[in-house]
Amino acid sequence: MKEQEVLNIFPQELRKRFQYVVQKSDKLQEIRLCVNQPARVLLEYEEFFLCRTGELSKIIGNSSWYISISEMEAILDHICSYSRYAYEEEIGQGFITVPGGHRVGLSGQVILGEDAKVKNIKYIRCMNIRIAHEVKGAADTLIPLIYENGRLCNTLLVAPPGCGKTTMLRDLIRQISDGSSWAEGRQVAVVDERSEIAGSFMGIPGNDMGIRTDVLDGCPKVQGMMMLLRSMAPQVIAVDEVGGKEDRQAIQNILRCGCNVIATMHGSSMEEVKSRGIDESMFERFAFLGKRKGKCVLLKVHKSMGEKIYD
Amino acid sequence: MIKLFGIILLLGGSTGFAFCLCQDRREHLFLLKEMRLFFSLVQEEIRYSGLPVTEIIKNVNTKISGPYYNALSNVMEKLSWEEGNHLKDVWKGEMEKVMEHTPLSRQEKELFIRFPDSLGMPEKDGQANALAGYMRELDGWIQELEQEEKSKNKVIMSMGMATGILLSVLLL
């Protein structure tokens, strides 16, 4: 299933080259494509070069596959369903999410709008396909720590990029929604701004989000949180990658309404969390994620007053 | 009695031939108008819904009649995310097949086959405007055919009947 999902990212004529790579889809992290450069694949933090035959090599050789402009255009056309205009906003943000929740990062020449904000990207010449991994049970260690006498605590997951924040959040949502031995299932609402958490395609989540989960796909976080609060009567709202004044205000509004919040944030320490506008009193649990021996793990969890409950 | 039967057959045959010619012209006009309708519906969908063209084809298909309906259904099937086929190839294959035995001229067929070439604009308005060129060209052809239909269809029918009468007189 996952193999086919990854293969479907590419147009039919290029799928043969990825046949071998997708067999290792469980270990596959990134596929990096740049015009006039050899195609690279990241398998369990190890870099390989993709050959024209589809095989992997540790060194660049004659058989390495150098991406041509037409190949890059063909991949982009397929990802955009031949309709770049329909992905104007996503391209402007620098990435497109494809079915399965995989994120395709793009770079090229930026087109600025009148307000000097990035409007679009033309001459897209580099692509980073980040493979999403749904790991059921990823939050097994954290789940008992975020309940206090059956009550769910507002929790912030903090980690540097690539340390499994979204994977952890996804599994937390599923377990909170379905219920676990620690608590009954709750009504969860997810604002999935980048379609990464649920991996929705045409409104249907590609990942298991639990039976009591409503997903608002592609909506900006601040607006989405308020919309869901008014319309879906959630007990818990989950969002990815918060930070900044507007996010803080929206979270505070939600907390005032008696709704719980589970969120993630880039960072690695409490100081970084504070510097990004998130007040210590807003969350009751801070879970820090990181890497140990190349694997994403839960490093520590502490309460808002600094009391460590997991290390 | 046999002569009378022959005259009726000659008259019927020549009038029928003229009628067929007129029908071809009507079908030609109908096909061009459906083509024009397709472009205008796609343009509207791009402008107002901003959906990808694969989904637009699905929405538009129910509003298009004639031979294009089946062709668009086939395009939809072959263009799914899972299939990964190239729009240009699928479109060309299906449209060539469906337009093969139609009264459309080579130029008109090529215009419709060229549709995927117009895609690829980075924003909605630009993409919608890119289709305007096709519609302008079609409008010109439709106008021409409509004017011809009014005048030439009558002439063709009259000529058909006159030919029948002339042949009857000559053969008698």
Side-chain angles (χ1 to χ4, degrees):
Chain A
M1 177 65 187
K2 180 80 169 279
E3 291 175 19
Q4 196 55 45
E5 213 176 74
V6 177
L7 212 53
N8 288 350
I9 299 172
F10 304 97
Q12 190 61 255
E13 70 259 28
L14 293 176
R15 285 185 188 174
K16 263 189 183 170
R17 296 195 182 175
F18 293 94
Q19 287 281 8
Y20 177 70
V21 172
V22 298
Q23 284 171 18
K24 299 177 182 296
S25 58
D26 288 343
K27 294 174 184 172
L28 185 61
Q29 291 173 296
E30 286 178 7
I31 299 171
R32 285 183 176 267
L33 309 171
C34 255
V35 168
N36 298 333
Q37 299 297 330
R40 288 176 295 145
V41 167
L42 203 64
L43 282 170
E44 271 194 332
Y45 307 100
E46 223 180 321
E47 189 183 60
F48 293 91
F49 296 100
L50 190 59
C51 300
R52 281 190 296 273
T53 51
E55 289 165 337
L56 295 175
S57 164
K58 283 293 275 178
I59 49 161
I60 302 173
N62 289 336
S63 60
S64 297
W65 174 29
Y66 281 76
I67 317 290
S68 66
I69 291 182
S70 60
E71 285 167 336
M72 179 62 80
E73 292 285 323
I75 298 171
L76 192 64
D77 276 341
H78 173 68
I79 287 170
C80 297
S81 308
Y82 303 91
S83 319
R84 289 189 202 179
Y85 62 87
Y87 293 87
E88 190 184 350
E89 264 178 51
E90 286 92 334
I91 294 175
Q93 285 182 9
F95 64 88
I96 297 172
T97 306
V98 295
H102 313 296
R103 190 197 270 194
V104 182
L106 308 164
S107 74
Q109 190 180 337
V110 159
I111 304 170
L112 292 177
E114 283 170 11
D115 52 357
K117 280 186 180 169
V118 178
K119 196 179 159 199
N120 213 320
I121 303 176
K122 62 180 176 178
Y123 308 128
I124 292 167
R125 296 295 178 252
C126 288
M127 208 176 256
N128 176 20
I129 303 165
R130 287 178 65 185
I131 307 301
H133 293 281
E134 183 184 16
V135 185
K136 286 192 179 176
D140 284 354
T141 322
L142 184 60
I143 260 290
L145 304 172
I146 63 168
Y147 285 105
E148 208 169 67
N149 304 323
R151 188 183 68 83
L152 182 71
C153 301
N154 301 313
T155 305
L156 183 68
L157 308 175
V158 188
C163 285
K165 281 188 302 293
T166 310
T167 308
M168 177 74 87
L169 178 67
R170 192 183 295 129
D171 198 50
L172 267 182
I173 293 166
R174 182 184 65 82
Q175 296 204 33
I176 293 168
S177 170
D178 284 344
S180 59
S181 51
W182 303 96
E184 282 181 354
R186 283 155 208 250
Q187 190 63 47
V188 185
V190 181
V191 188
D192 198 1
E193 191 171 4
R194 297 170 183 185
S195 310
E196 264 194 311
I197 309 173
S200 300
F201 186 62
M202 293 173 86
I204 301 167
N207 296 319
D208 184 0
M209 300 300 290
I211 57 166
R212 297 179 188 86
T213 306
D214 305 309
V215 180
L216 192 61
D217 188 40
C219 183
K221 278 187 289 286
V222 175
Q223 282 165 263
M225 283 192 270
M226 295 317 290
M227 273 171 73
L228 285 170
L229 190 65
R230 285 188 219 112
S231 58
M232 302 308 287
Q235 292 170 291
V236 184
I237 289 186
V239 281
D240 206 5
E241 293 177 14
V242 293
K245 208 174 165 184
E246 286 185 350
D247 288 352
R248 186 185 64 198
Q249 268 174 346
I251 292 170
Q252 275 170 338
N253 287 340
I254 284 160
L255 294 176
R256 263 185 233 122
C257 296
C259 190
N260 286 117
V261 174
I262 308 284
T264 72
M265 181 187 234
H266 279 301
S268 52
S269 65
M270 205 56 218
E271 286 67 40
E272 269 186 75
V273 172
K274 285 177 192 168
S275 71
R276 303 191 75 181
I278 299 296
D279 199 38
E280 214 175 340
S281 62
M282 285 165 67
F283 290 94
E284 296 160 281
R285 296 285 185 273
F286 292 86
F288 292 89
L289 279 68
K291 273 178 190 159
R292 266 191 200 143
K293 291 175 187 169
K295 285 194 171 177
C296 303
V297 289
L298 180 65
L299 296 175
K300 57 183 174 182
V301 181
H302 60 74
K303 293 184 177 181
S304 52
M305 298 315 286
E307 184 195 338
K308 275 186 189 170
I309 52 173
Y310 179 86
D311 199 358
Chain B
M1 188 63 191
I2 294 171
K3 280 181 184 172
L4 184 70
F5 187 66
I7 290 167
I8 292 169
L9 270 182
L10 268 175
L11 277 175
S14 57
T15 314
F17 180 71
F19 182 75
C20 282
L21 280 180
C22 291
Q23 274 301 103
D24 262 8
R25 299 175 73 84
R26 269 186 211 121
E27 199 196 336
H28 189 176
L29 187 61
F30 167 75
L31 289 173
L32 284 182
K33 282 185 174 172
E34 285 299 297
M35 222 186 258
R36 169 74 169 75
L37 178 67
F38 171 80
F39 282 118
S40 68
L41 287 172
V42 170
Q43 194 183 43
E44 273 172 40
E45 285 267 354
I46 289 172
R47 204 161 263 158
Y48 300 111
S49 69
L51 289 170
V53 78
T54 44
E55 278 176 59
I56 288 180
I57 292 174
K58 202 190 288 176
N59 296 348
V60 160
N61 193 26
T62 52
K63 295 163 192 160
I64 298 283
S65 51
Y68 304 125
Y69 178 83
N70 289 334
L72 290 175
S73 303
N74 292 342
V75 169
M76 257 158 50
E77 259 175 48
K78 291 179 182 172
L79 268 188
S80 66
W81 175 254
E82 290 77 18
E83 292 290 330
N85 291 315
H86 202 288
L87 172 68
K88 216 170 173 175
D89 302 333
V90 172
W91 185 265
K92 192 170 185 260
E94 288 303 322
M95 292 307 154
E96 270 180 349
K97 219 188 296 171
V98 83
M99 292 192 292
E100 198 182 353
H101 301 295
T102 59
L104 293 169
S105 69
R106 204 167 64 95
Q107 207 183 356
E108 291 159 353
K109 286 176 187 171
E110 271 173 10
L111 178 122
F112 204 41
I113 288 167
R114 273 197 341 252
F115 162 65
D117 296 343
S118 67
L119 302 169
M121 293 288 167
E123 41 91 32
K124 279 196 275 183
D125 283 337
Q127 187 57 71
N129 292 339
L131 297 176
Y134 291 83
M135 282 151 68
R136 262 197 308 274
E137 212 163 332
L138 278 167
D139 283 339
W141 293 334
I142 290 170
Q143 213 177 355
E144 217 174 284
L145 266 181
E146 272 176 339
Q147 277 169 357
E148 276 184 17
E149 199 193 13
K150 278 178 199 160
S151 55
K152 286 193 180 168
N153 277 10
K154 279 180 193 162
V155 176
I156 291 170
M157 284 301 284
S158 319
M159 288 287 283
M161 285 174 81
T163 312
I165 293 165
L166 184 72
L167 277 174
S168 311
V169 172
L170 285 174
L171 293 173
L172 273 174

